[in-house]
Each structure stands twice: as C-alpha cells, then as structure tokens.
Amino acid sequence: MNPFDLLIVCLSAWRMAYLVTKEDAPFRVMARIRERTTLGGLLTCIKCASIWTAALAVFVLPHPAEIGLYLVYVFAVSGGALMLASFSGANQ
C-alpha cells in the first residue's frame, strides 16, 4: 500500500467512524440506530468504531493474503483515523 492509499483509507475510516458515532445523518437514521441497538460502545465510542471501520476499509482494498499484514494495515488505518479525530476534536 503506498502512502497516498493509506491516507485515503485513513480518511474514509475516520469519516465512517465519525458518522456512526457522532452524526445523526439524513432523517436521523444514525441517531435512531444508536437509540435502538444494543451494541453499546461500538456505536458511541469513536475509538471502538475506528477499529471496525478500518477493518472494513482495508478489506475492500487489494491486500496480501497474509493475515498478519492485514492486521497491521487495520491498526495503522485505525491509528490514522484516531489521529484525525483528535485533531478535529471529535473524540471528546
């Protein structure tokens, strides 16, 4: 994965995590999902949401078959998403 791809994937993971945890979305769709679900912190904690959104974002990229390298990419993208969240003030 080149640095530009990593940046794009970090931005998309941050955007998905922010949408899931902080925004209401059109017609309050995400707010209703957060109110009615029992997933707990997965939909309210941006740190938790960044892990699974990073896993989804990395999964759609062409990646090597090695599970270890896939996990490294997931944690790198999650870390980048959390850095973006801390710079934007979204993790408070």
Side-chain angles (χ1 to χ4, degrees):
M1 179 182 305
N2 65 39
F4 185 70
D5 288 341
L6 183 64
L7 176 65
I8 296 298
V9 173
C10 286
L11 287 170
S12 67
W14 172 76
R15 182 67 184 110
M16 288 187 295
Y18 188 77
L19 172 71
V20 167
T21 59
K22 305 289 183 189
E23 291 185 1
D24 290 343
F27 307 110
R28 293 187 28 88
V29 171
M30 289 309 302
R32 288 186 214 152
I33 291 172
R34 279 192 303 269
E35 291 168 359
R36 295 179 183 166
T37 188
T38 60
L39 293 175
L42 289 178
L43 296 179
T44 57
C45 173
I46 197 160
K47 293 176 183 176
C48 301
S50 73
I51 290 288
W52 61 268
T53 57
L56 289 173
V58 171
F59 183 73
V60 298
L61 290 178
H63 57 281
E66 300 174 23
I67 189 72
L69 194 54
Y70 175 76
L71 291 175
V72 168
Y73 285 159
V74 168
F75 289 125
V77 169
S78 175
L82 289 176
M83 284 179 18
L84 288 167
S86 69
F87 290 143
S88 69
N91 63 345
Q92 298 171 355

